Amino acid sequence: KSHGNHHFFSTSDATTRNRVPKALYRQLLCWCRRNEDVPFNPLPPLTLAPPQVNPVALERLKEMRSFLDRNSDDLDHNYVKFGQYNHPAHYALYKGDIVVKDNLITFPEIRDANELRSVIRSVYWLNNEHTLANIENAEKGNDDSVDVDDSSCADNDDAQKGQISLAFEAIKSCNELSSNELDSRIKKRESSIEVRNRKEDEPLFHVGQVIQHKKAKWRGVIVGWAIDEAKTSSNRLTSLTTKQYEISEVDSDSTTNEDEATPKATVKYTILVDMNDSSLLHLSKSISLESQKDLIPVDQPSLRRIQNHLIHQYFSSFDPNEGGHFTPNKVVNYVYPLDRFSNAGNEGIEKNINPSSQDAAVEVSVSPELQEACEAITNGIRDICHRLLPPVLELNKQQLSDDKKGVSLASTLLSSLQSMSLENERGISSSSSPLDVAMSSVKKLNQIYAKLIALQWSHDVHKKNENKIYFKLGQTVKHKLFNFKGVVVAWDPKPHMDVSQWDGLQDVENPNEKPFYHIRPDINDCIREFGGPRSWRYVCQDNLESYDLKHGRIELEMELNEDEWGWDKENGWFAPSEEIKFMHAEDVGDYEEAIVETIQQLKDIISDCFLSVQGTGSITGLYSLDDLFSLLNSVGKLEDATAVQDMIKEVFKEFPDSFLRKQLDAGISELIEGKTKQALETFTDIVATEPAYGEAWNKKATVHYMLGERQAAIDASNKALEADPRNFRALAGIGLVEMDALNDDEAITAFQKCLALNPWSMVSARLSICISRRDRSSSTTSNVDD
């Protein structure tokens, strides 16, 4: 007992009391040291709150980070710069993506044992009595540090129990990580090194290598391999028992022959199958285990960019060198260090890896031409961002003069532009790869342009149908038949799918033409009516009625996003943000016209800039289509390639005649809505007015292909290529038509031209099929001749 209270430990000796925290701390650090060379898959972000961490130290840490953030452009830069100072507080103070809020600290995902050790040391530092005593001293104005045992924790029963409990949970989690993942990884590493050093029966293929199945003809990339040892026995077992019988001398010769005939150990490869191959060949697998005898390497570089949703779990990027292969990430590199494409090439893993990147050891080689293109793109997008700011600032100024509460649409747009500008500036001034900085800029501009298009399109569509709508956003409603309550969070003029056979719509006349609402339902009602919670419901307007919350509150499975929804006390329902209201053409006050004009102005600015990128605009100093194609041919990830493709497509759409440009959008909308013949008429009218509009020809070719008009599709695609030979989608379209007509040579030529411009195009799967089909046909013909 101490001060009349029962402490967590039976003795009053503080040193004895603190032995357990100290022992746990040392045990955790020992685990980190033991596994510091063994990479693991990133652990999810860790959020801690009192009593797991001391609230006083947490508040002081928040103040210190706020001060450092105000006086430094980049906390992560200081994290690396001051990394030589091995102080426990270093990580907590300088790591940029740590979030410290009131009574909460969230550490980012943990990528290796070194980063885990930094987290452990930071938490221990926060809970250390020496730290707390110095904080109290500083607050009293005393500069002298307090001499307290570094191993001691806060003298508080509840806090100490919470902190010790946290330490035990951490030890348990670490041991589970070892048993479930790390121990087997170490064994696999030892086995792969032994096999590669043996030289005999060494695996022919390597992790990261792209192969093809000999018979099935699908392509894939190797993510692992193992030796499937042949099982032999000197004793015979009957088929009915496990009893062993001695082999007589008479049978000894035949036994020897059997042993000689026993197959040798085989190599089994784990392979990620190309998702486009899997679809076209009607397979149902994304990963496969195959024997070495069934595989051959893919020789054509244009066929080596495999697309699979699991790629990022095993590889950092695609490397076009040596014909093309995937670069193993830290985990794969650790398990197979002697494989051809591993970074190490020998035992051991590179040290001093920046924990902010899972694969920081992978260096991106940038040629002078690519660097010039990347810098042009980055600087050009910065220029576009600066051109977009004035209209948004003006709208924001107008809305700030209003006393209405809530986040305005102008402030949301302004925040996006400022974030884009800040990230662009930091990227230019940082040591990041020019390619990474350019890609970040491209993605940001794509996001902003996509948002402007979505805002305008949604507002226009809902404006045309607002008279059909009975219920407002945020209003609480009740289903007439299934008796569940809910909140309206969105609505569609008519359903996006065929709902004619849905339950509850049998008595609704022509439900496919009725408005449908996105409803967030009450969780208790769903459990009662459906047997379990539901996150949302899609309901026909005819089956809904208004519900007054005075009759009972609504409990949602997940709360509505507080950045998008508030509470309207006057009407007694949820209040959507101005952005959501504008998209659904609901009343946004006196600023609706100003918002519409601002969005159109922003779109016009981007259109003018894209015309200049295309080479037909008047703005100078931006980047060019050649720069974008240079970037597209250099990126090592599908998601990056998709972002560049999206921007190139938008550039292709632009045309100096704004009316024809709007007509193109109208035709695309008709095509999406299934009005194929109407879309064909629209595109035909456009090219009749302006034969040089390449993208209109490309869309016209698409409609002809959908209608089965083969020659018309090819003719329209060739017209698109006359406008710009780099239109890779027109080349892909020609290849599709020729492939369907079994003209493999013509299809191969078109697909190869497409892939030369866009190496990440999905047509690589079709090219592979055409080549296999042609080779099979040639082989058959050769056999007949023989």
Side-chain angles (χ1 to χ4, degrees):
K1 295 183 179 180
S2 178
H3 304 294
N5 295 322
H6 289 278
H7 282 280
F8 186 70
F9 302 100
S10 59
T11 177
S12 60
D13 186 353
T15 302
T16 303
R17 239 182 343 108
N18 292 320
R19 284 176 183 169
V20 171
K22 186 175 181 179
L24 295 175
Y25 176 63
R26 286 177 172 174
Q27 189 172 346
L28 285 168
L29 293 184
C30 180
W31 185 94
C32 292
R33 283 193 297 270
R34 189 169 61 250
N35 294 282
E36 63 181 354
D37 289 336
V38 188
F40 48 76
N41 296 320
L43 304 177
L46 173 67
T47 298
L48 302 177
Q52 295 170 320
V53 288
N54 188 282
V56 177
L58 202 58
E59 180 62 28
R60 188 56 184 270
L61 175 64
K62 178 183 173 183
E63 295 172 0
M64 295 167 70
R65 284 179 60 89
S66 178
F67 172 80
L68 291 170
D69 193 31
R70 289 194 305 270
N71 291 274
S72 173
D73 291 335
D74 191 352
L75 277 178
D76 276 323
H77 173 69
N78 286 332
Y79 173 59
V80 176
K81 178 180 178 181
F82 300 118
Q84 57 184 319
Y85 304 111
N86 192 25
H87 192 277
H90 170 249
Y91 183 81
L93 284 172
Y94 290 107
K95 183 63 176 170
D97 40 7
I98 291 177
V99 178
V100 183
K101 295 183 177 179
D102 295 337
N103 282 338
L104 280 178
I105 182 170
T106 300
F107 296 95
E109 63 178 23
I110 301 168
R111 297 177 175 87
D112 54 38
N114 290 323
E115 199 166 55
L116 178 59
R117 177 167 51 203
S118 297
V119 172
I120 293 169
R121 297 184 73 206
S122 297
V123 174
Y124 189 75
W125 172 75
L126 285 169
N127 292 329
N128 192 296
E129 186 176 282
H130 184 76
T131 302
L132 301 178
N134 280 338
I135 290 175
E136 293 174 0
N137 243 19
E139 289 174 347
K140 293 176 182 178
N142 184 1
D143 291 334
D144 296 332
S145 61
V146 180
D147 187 15
V148 183
D149 181 9
D150 283 347
S151 66
S152 62
C153 296
D155 188 15
N156 179 283
D157 287 350
D158 292 337
Q160 191 176 62
K161 288 178 182 179
Q163 292 153 18
I164 290 176
S165 176
L166 174 65
F168 274 118
E169 284 296 321
I171 291 174
K172 178 183 176 182
S173 298
C174 287
N175 290 334
E176 288 177 350
L177 180 62
S178 292
S179 60
N180 295 338
E181 184 177 332
L182 303 190
D183 291 348
S184 64
R185 189 162 292 157
I186 293 172
K187 291 179 181 178
K188 286 181 180 179
R189 173 188 170 85
E190 292 171 350
S191 174
S192 75
I193 292 174
E194 179 186 355
V195 171
R196 287 293 182 193
N197 285 331
R198 209 161 57 197
K199 301 302 180 183
E200 297 178 2
D201 301 323
E202 183 181 356
L204 296 177
F205 307 116
H206 303 258
V207 290
Q209 187 171 359
V210 179
I211 51 78
Q212 185 177 42
H213 195 278
K214 288 181 181 178
K215 294 181 179 179
K217 297 302 181 184
W218 51 258
R219 297 165 301 138
V221 57
I222 295 172
V223 298
W225 54 262
I227 302 297
D228 188 13
E229 299 288 353
K231 296 180 180 179
T232 59
S233 175
S234 60
N235 299 320
R236 291 177 180 175
L237 302 179
T238 70
S239 59
L240 299 178
T241 72
T242 57
K243 183 178 179 181
Q244 298 182 358
Y245 294 88
E246 293 184 358
I247 302 173
S248 64
E249 294 183 1
V250 176
D251 293 336
S252 60
D253 291 339
S254 60
T255 303
T256 303
N257 293 333
E258 287 178 5
D259 288 341
E260 290 176 354
T262 300
K264 295 182 179 180
T266 59
V267 185
K268 292 281 190 177
Y269 295 91
T270 304
I271 303 164
L272 296 185
V273 180
D274 184 272
M275 62 182 184
N276 299 308
D277 285 12
S278 180
S279 175
L280 290 171
L281 296 171
H282 307 291
L283 306 174
S284 58
K285 57 184 177 182
S286 60
I287 191 166
S288 185
L289 184 66
E290 301 292 339
S291 297
Q292 181 167 279
K293 62 183 178 59
D294 296 323
L295 306 174
I296 56 174
V298 172
D299 295 326
Q300 289 202 34
S302 60
L303 298 179
R304 291 185 177 178
R305 284 174 170 82
I306 299 301
Q307 299 184 20
N308 185 295
H309 67 284
L310 299 175
I311 287 281
H312 69 281
Q313 295 185 16
Y314 300 92
F315 305 105
S316 59
S317 64
F318 179 83
D319 186 347
N321 296 320
E322 301 183 54
H325 63 271
F326 286 87
T327 303
N329 64 14
K330 288 199 303 181
V331 173
V332 179
N333 190 60
Y334 175 83
V335 176
Y336 304 98
L338 301 186
D339 273 35
R340 179 179 175 187
F341 304 119
S342 293
N343 293 329
N346 49 51
E347 284 197 55
I349 290 296
E350 295 188 25
K351 306 291 184 178
N352 301 321
I353 297 175
N354 183 352
S356 65
S357 172
Q358 186 179 356
D359 301 289
V362 179
E363 296 184 1
V364 179
S365 176
V366 178
S367 66
E369 295 79 10
L370 176 59
Q371 179 164 344
E372 184 178 347
C374 290
E375 290 174 353
I377 292 170
T378 302
N379 293 326
I381 292 179
R382 177 177 58 179
D383 187 0
I384 295 174
C385 182
H386 291 163
R387 292 173 185 273
L388 295 172
L389 277 171
V392 179
L393 287 169
E394 179 59 31
L395 178 62
N396 190 55
K397 181 180 178 181
Q398 295 177 31
Q399 293 191 311
L400 284 175
S401 63
D402 197 340
D403 293 333
K404 69 174 183 177
K405 298 180 180 180
V407 179
S408 68
L409 178 53
S411 64
T412 303
L413 290 172
L414 183 60
S415 176
S416 298
L417 286 173
Q418 289 174 335
S419 173
M420 172 181 168
S421 178
L422 180 61
E423 188 169 321
N424 185 285
E425 294 291 347
R426 282 182 173 176
I428 292 174
S429 60
S430 72
S431 57
S432 301
S433 163
L435 190 147
D436 292 338
V437 178
M439 274 311 313
S440 175
S441 299
V442 167
K443 290 177 181 179
K444 285 286 187 181
L445 183 55
N446 281 350
Q447 291 171 3
I448 290 175
Y449 194 37
K451 182 171 186 173
L452 294 174
I453 292 172
L455 285 169
Q456 187 179 65
W457 180 86
S458 179
H459 178 79
D460 292 347
V461 169
H462 288 88
K463 192 72 173 177
K464 295 175 184 177
N465 295 276
E466 60 181 344
N467 293 331
K468 302 178 183 178
I469 301 304
Y470 296 165
F471 307 105
K472 291 183 174 293
L473 295 173
Q475 187 172 350
T476 50
V477 293
K478 186 176 181 179
H479 199 288
K480 294 178 182 179
L481 300 179
F482 299 137
N483 297 315
F484 64 83
K485 305 180 291 292
V487 181
V488 176
V489 296
W491 57 266
D492 301 319
K494 58 183 181 180
H496 291 310
M497 72 275 299
D498 182 11
V499 298
S500 58
Q501 302 301 314
W502 283 20
D503 290 343
L505 296 177
Q506 289 78 7
D507 297 330
V508 176
E509 184 179 354
N510 200 6
N512 284 322
E513 297 300 321
K514 295 292 179 69
F516 265 68
Y517 293 81
H518 300 257
I519 306 294
R520 292 286 298 276
D522 181 274
I523 185 173
N524 298 310
D525 289 354
C526 287
I527 292 173
R528 184 189 68 242
E529 298 294 333
F530 309 120
R534 299 290 187 273
S535 57
W536 69 282
R537 298 278 86 189
Y538 198 47
V539 186
C540 180
Q541 180 170 263
D542 288 17
N543 283 338
L544 291 174
E545 60 185 3
S546 180
Y547 178 82
D548 194 337
L549 283 178
K550 294 178 181 178
H551 300 148
R553 63 190 294 270
I554 285 183
E555 184 178 349
L556 305 179
E557 183 185 14
M558 288 181 8
E559 292 298 323
L560 297 177
N561 189 325
E562 61 182 16
D563 294 330
E564 298 178 345
W565 294 88
W567 180 255
D568 185 345
K569 292 183 179 179
E570 182 178 347
N571 292 307
W573 61 48
F574 294 90
S577 67
E578 184 177 75
E579 179 178 335
I580 296 177
K581 291 175 70 175
F582 177 80
M583 291 181 71
H584 289 81
E586 289 200 0
D587 182 22
V588 292
D590 299 332
Y591 296 105
E592 180 176 359
E593 185 177 345
I595 293 173
V596 171
E597 291 177 356
T598 301
I599 290 175
Q600 185 59 54
Q601 191 175 356
L602 294 174
K603 284 190 62 185
D604 290 343
I605 291 172
I606 295 178
S607 294
D608 290 342
C609 292
F610 281 175
L611 281 172
S612 297
V613 172
Q614 193 184 89
T616 58
S618 59
I619 302 175
T620 59
L622 298 179
Y623 53 100
S624 67
L625 265 174
D626 287 339
D627 294 328
L628 288 175
F629 276 106
S630 178
L631 183 62
L632 179 59
N633 276 267
S634 303
V635 294
K637 298 179 181 178
L638 177 59
E639 63 173 290
D640 291 345
T642 302
V644 183
Q645 288 175 38
D646 289 344
M647 180 168 285
I648 291 175
K649 291 174 186 177
E650 293 301 327
V651 172
F652 277 148
K653 287 181 184 178
E654 294 305 330
F655 200 72
D657 189 325
S658 59
F659 175 76
L660 293 180
R661 175 66 179 87
K662 291 179 181 178
Q663 285 296 100
L664 181 75
D665 285 340
I668 294 173
S669 296
E670 291 165 350
L671 194 58
I672 293 173
E673 293 171 6
K675 302 174 182 178
T676 312
K677 292 185 177 180
Q678 190 173 332
L680 180 58
E681 292 177 3
T682 301
F683 297 136
T684 301
D685 291 341
I686 294 174
V687 296
T689 304
E690 184 50 77
Y693 199 167
E695 191 58 22
W697 281 111
N698 185 50
K699 295 300 181 186
K700 188 172 185 292
T702 301
V703 180
H704 284 305
Y705 176 74
M706 294 173 66
L707 294 173
E709 299 167 358
R710 173 179 172 272
Q711 192 56 50
I714 291 179
D715 292 342
S717 293
N718 283 324
K719 285 288 187 181
L721 291 169
E722 287 179 14
D724 194 324
R726 297 169 295 185
N727 196 323
F728 53 83
R729 290 192 296 170
L731 289 165
I734 293 174
L736 286 173
V737 175
E738 299 291 9
M739 181 181 181
D740 290 349
L742 301 182
N743 299 327
D744 289 331
D745 288 335
E746 291 80 359
I748 289 170
T749 299
F751 288 147
Q752 287 177 335
K753 289 181 178 179
C754 174
L755 288 167
L757 291 163
N758 178 15
W760 287 95
S761 173
M762 293 190 297
V763 302
S764 62
R766 294 182 178 273
L767 173 61
S768 178
I769 290 174
C770 289
I771 292 174
S772 298
R773 195 162 63 187
R774 183 189 62 182
D775 293 346
R776 186 166 57 248
S777 176
S778 299
S779 176
T780 302
T781 303
S782 176
N783 291 336
V784 171
D785 292 341
D786 291 343

